[in-house]
Amino acid sequence: MKAFNFVVIFILATLVSATALASPALEKNDTGKDVLTLQKKLYVIGYNITELDGEFGDETKKAVEAFQRDNKITVTGVVTNATWRALKKAKPVKGRSLSDLKIKTPTESKISHINTTKPVKPAKNNNLVPYGETFITRHEGVEIVELAKKFMGVPYVWGGTTPSGFDCSGFLQYVFKQYGINIPRLADEQYLLGESVKTSQLSVGDLVFFSTYLEGASHCGFYVGNGEFLHTSSSKGVRIDSLDNEYWRPKFLGGKKITK
């Protein structure tokens, strides 16, 4: 019986530890995609955020403190598990759209050393592709994935949009741009593209999306067939992983068909 109790206690402790490590602790002067996710969430639920820049400054801290005060969380201005859990439950305010905000990424200010390359094909126009519709052929989907595979091994760079370093949505945007196709910059906006389908209905070149510690799309990639996807991993750069991977499977949000 003692051995059984020890095993139970060990399992519970492991689960608690895993939960504690699931969400990143953020505080003033932190930067990165987690801060950007925090800012987007605070804005859509009604708090004062004027710019999405991925920098935890005074404005973001004040918004965090206001949220903590409203939700009876100890007001520290530091985002820990209790604050993340409350943020996840918070509902968006009607009429708030991220398109209302200026999106400033390190591509504009902190990653000036990145070299850009000219698109393989000139842009057809400056308009974004329509939401909710297919916009490439299956043949183009295969071609686009073949091009994307040439960037295997390119490192992850937060805010990166060139072959010197990509983040997940910057990678998709860059590859499409080589075909004269303009898509939105951020993963949650890219999730509005195409038609939601079952995984079995995906074709090479379609898109897949994942949700991490907050609701909604926060990671994305190209479907490459055989239950695999090509994406920019924050730890290993551009690579191919399985949708059935023990890390990605529970985070899978859905597939979007953009091929016709």
Side-chain angles (χ1 to χ4, degrees), residues 13-250:
T14 302
L15 290 174
V16 170
S17 298
T19 301
L21 294 173
S23 304
L26 299 176
E27 59 186 328
K28 188 176 178 181
N29 297 325
D30 283 344
T31 61
K33 64 175 185 175
D34 295 326
V35 177
L36 188 62
T37 298
L38 169 67
Q39 291 173 327
K40 289 191 292 183
K41 181 66 176 183
L42 286 168
Y43 177 77
V44 298
I45 63 176
Y47 290 86
N48 183 35
I49 296 291
T50 60
E51 184 175 88
L52 301 180
D53 58 6
E55 298 178 7
F56 200 130
D58 289 332
E59 181 183 73
T60 301
K61 183 179 179 181
K62 289 179 181 178
V64 169
E65 289 173 341
F67 175 79
Q68 291 172 331
R69 190 175 300 111
D70 292 343
N71 288 270
K72 296 180 173 55
I73 300 169
T74 303
V75 179
T76 61
V78 177
V79 184
T80 55
N81 284 332
T83 304
W84 282 123
R85 285 194 295 268
L87 282 167
K88 186 172 183 179
K89 295 176 182 177
K91 302 299 182 184
V93 172
K94 186 176 181 180
R96 285 224 163 188
S97 171
L98 293 175
S99 61
D100 298 333
L101 294 180
K102 178 182 178 182
I103 299 172
K104 179 183 177 183
T105 70
T107 305
E108 298 176 0
S109 58
K110 294 185 178 179
I111 311 180
S112 58
H113 66 279
I114 291 180
N115 297 317
T116 57
T117 59
K118 294 181 179 180
V120 174
K121 297 180 181 181
K124 297 171 184 176
N125 53 58
N126 292 322
N127 297 326
L128 295 177
V129 296
Y131 290 147
E133 299 179 16
T134 56
F135 55 87
I136 60 174
T137 66
R138 289 194 177 188
H139 177 70
E140 288 174 324
V142 172
E143 282 190 340
I144 287 172
V145 164
E146 287 306 307
L147 172 63
K149 286 180 178 178
K150 294 181 180 180
F151 298 103
M152 294 275 286
V154 169
Y156 174 89
V157 172
W158 178 71
T161 58
T162 78
S164 292
F166 293 114
D167 64 18
C168 64
S169 55
F171 177 49
L172 266 60
Q173 186 187 53
Y174 176 87
V175 173
F176 278 115
K177 190 174 182 181
Q178 310 315 299
Y179 279 79
I181 298 171
N182 295 312
I183 68 169
R185 171 67 182 89
L186 301 176
D188 53 355
E189 295 174 307
Q190 292 173 0
Y191 185 62
L192 300 175
L193 301 173
E195 303 170 354
S196 295
V197 295
K198 297 178 180 178
T199 305
S200 59
Q201 296 174 289
L202 292 173
S203 301
V204 175
D206 286 329
L207 307 180
V208 290
F209 293 86
F210 304 83
S211 179
T212 54
Y213 48 87
L214 286 180
E215 293 178 357
S218 56
H219 190 73
C220 52
F222 292 103
Y223 184 70
V224 299
N226 299 318
E228 296 181 325
F229 69 105
L230 176 66
H231 67 124
T232 306
S233 162
S234 60
S235 59
K236 297 183 180 179
V238 179
R239 56 181 279 122
I240 291 176
D241 279 308
S242 171
L243 290 173
D244 200 40
N245 175 289
E246 62 180 6
Y247 176 80
W248 293 112
R249 183 175 64 250

